[in-house]
Amino acid sequence: MFILRLLLTCLLSVPASVAQVLPFSNDSAAGVVWTFENGTWIENLAVRQNGEILCTSLSKAALYLVNPFEHVASLVHQFEPTEGLLGISEIKNDVFVVASTNISLATSQAYPGSSKMWMVDMVAWTLGKPNAVTLLANLTEVDLPDGIATLDNEIGLVLLADAAKGIVWRVDTTTGDYSIAIQDQLFTTNNKLIPLGVDGIHTLNNYLYFTNFGNNAFGRVAISQNGTATGPVEIIANMTIPDDFAIAEDGTAYIAGDNTLYRFSQNGAVDNLVGGPNSLVLEGCTSAQLGRTRMDKDVLYIGTNGGLLAPVDGQIHGGQLVAVNIGLFR
């Protein structure tokens, strides 16, 4: 098992040419932690307690693990080619759930009935045990599963965004049962060119925060313990094609979208921190997660698709894991 993982580490990717050691120097806002092979769309991220980062790939149907301090990557699990991976969330210590679907990248449409949720036990994987990745549920009514937010660790509930239907589902990770938690017009989109609504989701202080990809919106809704709405869904900011995001304890949100890292502050201000529509720094950025260790407490990690659908310079690059020193912007 160890030899196999070592070989996979060597074969799966190429080292980033501008990789930097964390933490960054004061004059460096962003640095590439890892560059995957061309055609690798990194869709979402989850940070382990030890600082390692799980990266889901929509195009490669694979789950990768990157050590941002040593700049090495390995393959956790190769799914079937039709299992494009999307959202991921930790449901208890070092145990995660991942959503998958059979999707056309060109049209952003999933094949009906193909959505699934998987459980990934990184404790078992680290020990080299079999069955570290198991099927949790067939989500046949979910059209396009995207962001996942853990609702209650104790009882195993998560919320799952359905970007195509504009629904937030509630999934019981102990039984695999699922049902509609919230359905609202503000979760849908009227954008015919980008037919994707509610996308990234995260919970904080009894609120569910969300992005609406097609409607260029960032919003929130007050929720109960089981994920149902206890107040109206509201839009609190607008920005260009916001994808997934990270949210700090003070309510500051760091949102990936349009090759740009946006910062939403609780006073309603939206700032462009890094990148821009024609920038290669965060080309095709899809997701964001905050560091969890003492060494990267001021670092935001961003996943990218390398411009797979809309290359800035006309060339497709490998998806990347990029680190941004957000401490510079405080």
Side-chain angles (χ1 to χ4, degrees), residues 8-20 31-37 40 42 53 55 64-68 70-75 301-304 318-323:
L8 288 171
T9 297
C10 296
L11 294 173
L12 116 94
S13 180
V14 293
S17 60
V18 291
Q20 301 184 29
V32 178
V33 175
W34 191 262
T35 299
F36 295 85
E37 66 179 1
T40 304
I42 298 301
I53 302 164
C55 307
Y64 302 115
L65 182 67
V66 178
N67 184 321
E70 299 179 2
H71 301 287
V72 295
S74 54
L75 177 68
Y301 295 103
I302 296 178
T304 81
Q320 294 182 326
L321 179 66
V322 181

Side-chain angles (χ1 to χ4, degrees), residues 140-273:
T140 54
E141 295 180 51
V142 178
D143 196 333
L144 181 54
D146 208 325
I148 304 175
T150 298
L151 189 61
D152 192 317
N153 290 18
E154 296 298 324
I155 57 178
L157 293 181
V158 300
L159 296 177
L160 171 68
D162 187 334
K165 287 187 174 180
I167 291 173
V168 171
W169 300 86
R170 176 177 50 246
V171 183
D172 186 332
T173 62
T174 63
T175 65
D177 295 334
Y178 65 102
S179 58
I180 293 175
I182 311 173
Q183 189 168 11
D184 192 275
Q185 187 66 28
L186 292 179
F187 286 165
T188 65
T189 182
N190 50 18
N191 189 331
K192 294 182 180 180
L193 296 178
I194 308 176
L196 302 175
V198 61
D199 189 301
I201 57 173
H202 292 280
T203 59
L204 179 69
N205 297 333
N206 298 318
Y207 276 93
L208 176 71
Y209 288 83
F210 67 93
T211 55
N212 185 314
F213 192 80
N215 281 7
N216 300 324
F218 180 62
R220 70 176 189 174
V221 55
I223 58 172
S224 66
Q225 188 176 8
N226 68 359
T228 56
T230 59
V233 178
E234 57 179 339
I235 301 301
I236 56 178
N238 293 99
M239 60 211 67
T240 305
I241 51 176
D243 206 325
D244 210 338
F245 62 99
I247 190 162
E249 291 182 0
D250 65 358
T252 302
Y254 299 93
I255 305 165
D258 196 29
N259 305 332
T260 304
L261 172 61
Y262 303 104
R263 179 181 62 191
F264 167 81
S265 302
Q266 282 297 296
N267 63 8
V270 176
D271 301 299
N272 295 9
L273 298 186

